[in-house]
Amino acid sequence: MKCPHCQVDIHSAAHSLSVGKDADGYWAVELQNCPACSKLIIELRCNEVIHTQAGHWEGEVISRNFVRPKSSARPNPHPDVPMEFAQDYIEAALVLFDSPKASAALSRRCLQHILREKAMVKKGDLAREIDEVINSKSLPSHLSDAIDAIRNIGNFAAHPVKSTATGEVIDVEPGEAEWTLDVLDGLFDFYFIQPELLARKKAALNEKLNQANKPPLKQ
């Protein structure tokens, strides 16, 4: 896992303290200190309750919320992602567990902003903009499929407001908010991170070519 304080990869070695059980599930607090920055990480976790003939036991995790720091379980976007795109992502990730509906609305708005500014689609509703970028074949197939899945998972046909008013906070399907953030991760990598990485490598290579009195790579 990444430390939510310093974003350094650490081995998860949390100590769990049971809080109790209610209608939602079993509640526990997980505590650990980051070995990199020495800050305490506190997470509130809820597991579903599975009833069996032998009694009951804890099932899969329903929700996880950082108490310290109050942050997202997802790392912030790479520094190469401009803040005009990163800000909605950061806020969507921060409220993901508290309000998947709000998270998905912020992510849809961010997705539409990327499609308009980077894919240069014509302004319309989100479903048509997704169609345009897919038909343009300007994205790798895995990203086209991932964006198309947003419409299917979100059931745009039954909830057209998700397409016509992307920032509207309405009910979401299971996994919809998480998937939309995953798709944004892929688009950030394609439109911002990889081009900047290649540009830096190209600049470094041109510097070496210049020192060797050889022509630089074409722009």
Side-chain angles (χ1 to χ4, degrees), residues 9-23:
D9 286 313
I10 62 174
H11 175 68
S12 180
H15 176 59
S16 183
L17 300 174
S18 178
V19 175
K21 178 174 72 74
D22 66 8

Side-chain angles (χ1 to χ4, degrees), residues 3-75:
C3 170
H5 291 287
C6 64
Q7 297 298 317
V8 170
D9 286 313
I10 62 174
H11 175 68
S12 180
H15 176 59
S16 183
L17 300 174
S18 178
V19 175
K21 178 174 72 74
D22 66 8
D24 291 328
Y26 282 109
W27 293 89
V29 174
E30 292 190 347
L31 309 169
Q32 67 176 315
N33 282 92
C34 173
C37 66
S38 300
K39 291 185 178 180
L40 184 64
I41 303 168
I42 306 175
E43 188 177 20
L44 180 64
R45 187 195 71 217
C46 181
N47 287 68
E48 66 176 336
V49 179
I50 304 296
H51 296 280
T52 67
Q53 291 182 344
H56 54 259
W57 52 281
E58 295 182 28
E60 66 180 40
V61 175
I62 298 173
S63 66
R64 308 178 73 102
N65 296 282
F66 281 108
V67 178
R68 171 177 165 79
K70 178 61 177 175
S71 68
S72 161
R74 289 172 173 264

